[in-house]
Amino acid sequence: MAEVKLFGSWGSPFSRRIEVALKLKGVEYEFIEEDIYNKKSPLLLKYNPVHKKVPVLLHNGKPICESLVILEYIDETWEGPSILPKDPYERAMARFWVKFLDEKCFPAMWQACWSIGEEQEKAKEEATEFLKILEGTLSGKKFFGGDSIGMVDIVANFIAYWFMILQELAGFELLTKEKFPKLNEWMNEYLNCSIIKENLPLKDKLTAVFQARFQAVAAAAAAAAAK
Amino acid sequence: MANDEVVLLDSYVSMFGMRVRIALAEKGIPFEYREENLRNKSPLLLEMNPVYKKIPVLIHNGKPICESLIIVQYIDVVWKDRPLLPSDPYQRAQARFWADYVDKIFFAGRKLWTTKGEEKESGKKELIEYLQVLEGELGNKPYFGGDIFGFVDVAFVPYYCWFYAYETCGNFSIEQYCPKLIAWGKRCLERESVSKSLADPHKVYEFVQIMKKRRLAKQDPTTELDHRKNVMSDHFNGQVCTIAMVSF
């Protein structure tokens, strides 16, 4: 029985964060693909009864849930490159930006992709505002974590990959090189890291899933408008 | 740490601010408390928290730390006496998980004075549900931290002084659903750090009445943002995006 198991989903940026962290630390793990679109496994529901979500890390039979909690656990449990800075103040700053990404930045960016009309314009404005703030933190740094990737970079995976695919499908471009030169540079460096590029879902597969979702949403909107 | 300068920008009724007050008091850290007028924020607050412009902000030797649980973790590491987080990584992960869960109370509770009718009833139902989960997690332990008053207790106990406001707005009794939580709250109040940090429940209720009047006048944009926080993770967990979510 593997000491470390990860319940995840191939397409989930939250799940991929954990894989990157485990690989950074050189931890061997068994990946259990959850069929989240059809039916969650009894094991997942047993190990995450509160949220019933992936990712869930199982270490020696004990579950840890919530991707940010798991990332900190991995950093504290295994030797290897640090995910969080050692300095308490820098650590607080990293946690601050990670929370900003998950609670403000990504929800706005996500909504910009999936909403329409006035709602979409509003969401795009908000997302732009948040991304500008993020752009500002990259001054003179290759990665959010400095010379090498850290927790903020790991969590920001959505921006560099998932969002770039989504915005193209949604038919707009928010993250232009003109408006966000540093973020664009960061994306190039980031996607060139072997640990990142070897742990991304296949673009075609992800595109197909998002396409299907766009079509379903458009159909539902048309049906609602017809009533 | 004799020459440390510690300033807390805060607001009396804020449960987030109370967390920091309790942590500082538990560790016996002297600090300067500054009450912010949230309708007229000080230049210092705007300078120290330009991203959110919110309290609490801890300013330690001139450097700001924002977000209540991040501040409490910072305090715990810098002032090592009387640790709030357990030393074992697994126990720490559990503590972080539950401290994060606690904030579901905030969004559900707020519906009790920002909405009415069916939405308010569903907010009340949600609130009771979350409280019952927390009651289950507490079990028969004296504190969420076990025998020791710890991180989750610090995160959650400020809500205790908001219970009166929730109960009055929602017309229900929390004790009826969660007797252990009420006993736990009273137990925590026996600690000086808690009793001197928590707001008077009646003052909290007065504040809520004022907010209710203001909210009825206009829609609060932050409510929308908070609601959509989980939409992305829901998508990657198989939840179908309904038209209601998409159009918000």
Side-chain angles (χ1 to χ4, degrees):
Chain A
M1 188 182 112
E3 205 185 283
V4 181
K5 294 189 189 186
L6 175 64
F7 293 83
S9 169
W10 67 272
S12 160
F14 304 97
S15 173
R16 292 282 173 173
R17 292 172 182 179
I18 310 307
E19 295 203 79
V20 167
L22 288 169
K23 293 204 157 95
L24 252 177
K25 299 279 194 182
V27 177
E28 283 192 26
Y29 63 98
E30 182 192 334
F31 183 80
I32 297 158
E33 176 74 35
E34 279 290 320
D35 184 11
I36 53 157
Y37 292 104
N38 291 313
K39 194 174 177 198
K40 289 172 182 175
S41 73
L43 271 182
L44 176 67
L45 300 177
K46 170 184 165 188
Y47 291 128
N48 192 357
V50 174
H51 299 299
K52 304 176 175 58
K53 285 182 174 181
V54 294
V56 176
L57 188 77
L58 202 67
H59 186 204
N60 294 328
K62 299 199 287 190
I64 304 107
C65 309
E66 292 296 285
S67 67
L68 301 185
V69 175
I70 300 171
L71 287 173
E72 297 228 19
Y73 176 81
I74 290 170
D75 204 30
E76 288 176 7
T77 303
W78 285 285
E79 298 287 306
S82 282
I83 293 170
L84 274 164
K86 296 259 188 276
D87 172 69
Y89 188 77
E90 294 305 317
R91 188 179 297 204
M93 290 314 293
R95 286 182 178 137
F96 176 87
W97 289 114
V98 150
K99 194 163 192 248
F100 173 76
L101 284 170
D102 263 2
E103 293 187 3
K104 296 288 177 212
C105 216
F106 297 158
M109 291 168 79
W110 184 257
Q111 190 178 355
C113 297
W114 295 101
S115 55
I116 49 171
E118 213 184 290
E119 302 290 346
Q120 186 179 42
E121 285 316 302
K122 204 170 148 211
K124 278 156 94 178
E125 269 171 42
E126 275 167 350
T128 302
E129 200 189 297
F130 295 143
L131 286 166
K132 283 209 177 110
I133 294 173
L134 212 61
E135 169 95 358
T137 71
L138 276 169
S139 277
K141 291 198 295 193
K142 191 171 166 190
F143 298 110
F144 292 103
D147 292 325
S148 52
I149 61 169
M151 185 146 167
V152 182
D153 302 276
I154 294 172
V155 168
N157 64 355
F158 175 75
I159 298 177
Y161 195 70
W162 283 259
F163 182 70
M164 297 307 277
I165 296 171
L166 270 171
Q167 68 168 7
E168 199 182 319
L169 289 175
F172 62 82
E173 206 194 341
L174 217 59
L175 268 170
T176 61
K177 284 196 175 79
E178 294 74 40
K179 277 205 191 128
F180 301 100
K182 298 203 185 83
L183 269 173
N184 272 277
E185 257 175 64
W186 168 78
M187 284 194 277
N188 282 331
E189 294 284 356
Y190 185 67
L191 293 173
N192 264 324
C193 292
S194 56
I195 204 156
I196 298 297
K197 72 180 168 200
E198 285 161 18
N199 286 296
L200 290 169
L202 288 171
K203 191 172 177 190
D204 291 342
K205 205 173 166 191
L206 203 58
T207 303
V209 169
F210 285 149
Q211 277 282 36
R213 190 55 58 90
F214 272 115
Q215 279 158 16
V217 165
K227 282 195 189 130
Chain B
M1 292 271 168
N3 295 319
D4 279 307
E5 195 198 60
V6 181
V7 176
L8 176 62
L9 306 181
D10 198 350
S11 173
Y12 178 66
V13 294
S14 164
M15 58 282 266
F16 305 105
M18 288 174 217
R19 289 168 168 174
V20 183
R21 289 175 232 166
I22 295 168
L24 290 167
E26 281 284 320
K27 305 244 182 192
I29 302 163
F31 67 100
E32 183 194 332
Y33 178 94
R34 288 200 206 169
E35 179 76 13
E36 281 283 333
N37 176 355
L38 297 179
R39 302 196 92 195
N40 187 15
K41 293 173 181 177
S42 72
L44 183 64
L45 174 59
L46 300 178
E47 184 197 335
M48 293 284 125
N49 191 357
V51 175
Y52 295 114
K53 306 174 178 50
K54 283 183 175 180
I55 55 93
V57 179
L58 188 79
I59 311 174
H60 182 207
N61 295 330
K63 298 205 290 192
I65 304 103
C66 308
E67 296 297 291
S68 62
L69 295 179
I70 294 175
I71 299 172
V72 172
Q73 289 181 87
Y74 174 81
I75 290 170
D76 206 38
V77 158
V78 172
W79 288 272
K80 294 191 185 339
D81 283 340
R82 180 58 195 93
L84 293 167
L85 273 156
S87 51
D88 170 68
Y90 185 75
Q91 296 304 327
R92 290 159 78 82
Q94 295 312 302
R96 289 183 174 125
F97 175 90
W98 286 108
D100 171 69
Y101 184 87
V102 162
D103 280 337
K104 284 165 114 66
I105 308 276
F106 179 79
F107 299 111
R110 195 162 54 168
K111 288 184 191 173
L112 293 175
W113 62 85
T114 57
T115 66
K116 34 189 187 174
E118 236 179 85
E119 222 190 318
K120 180 175 167 174
E121 277 311 298
S122 103
K124 177 170 150 184
K125 199 168 153 247
E126 262 179 68
L127 176 64
I128 293 169
E129 236 172 73
Y130 300 146
L131 288 171
Q132 285 174 321
V133 169
L134 286 161
E135 166 114 339
E137 173 55 24
L138 177 68
N140 292 317
K141 305 196 296 280
Y143 301 107
F144 284 91
D147 287 323
I148 300 171
F149 179 83
F151 187 64
V152 181
D153 303 281
V154 173
F156 188 24
V157 81
Y159 284 94
Y160 187 74
C161 69
W162 278 73
F163 282 3
Y164 174 70
Y166 293 150
E167 288 171 321
T168 312
C169 289
N171 190 27
F172 70 115
S173 153
I174 292 177
E175 184 153 22
Q176 192 192 335
Y177 296 94
C178 304
K180 289 183 180 145
L181 286 186
I182 301 301
W184 161 82
K186 290 181 178 152
R187 188 176 303 124
C188 290
L189 272 169
E190 287 167 15
R191 303 179 76 80
E192 206 191 326
S193 67
V194 177
S195 63
K196 72 177 186 183
S197 301
L198 258 51
D200 175 336
H202 289 94
K203 293 234 162 74
V204 170
Y205 181 65
E206 266 170 46
F207 169 80
V208 161
Q209 291 297 87
I210 295 169
M211 293 310 291
K212 189 174 176 179
K213 285 201 187 90
R214 288 194 202 143
R215 297 259 162 114
L216 285 175
K218 60 173 169 65
Q219 262 296 80
D220 181 359
T222 60
T223 312
E224 284 173 48
L225 265 172
D226 301 329
H227 170 71
R228 68 182 184 206
K229 179 178 131 173
N230 284 319
V231 175
M232 189 165 115
S233 91
D234 282 348
H235 168 93
F236 290 107
N237 273 281
Q239 242 101 305
V240 176
C241 198
T242 66
I243 197 69
M245 278 193 230
V246 166
S247 61
F248 278 94

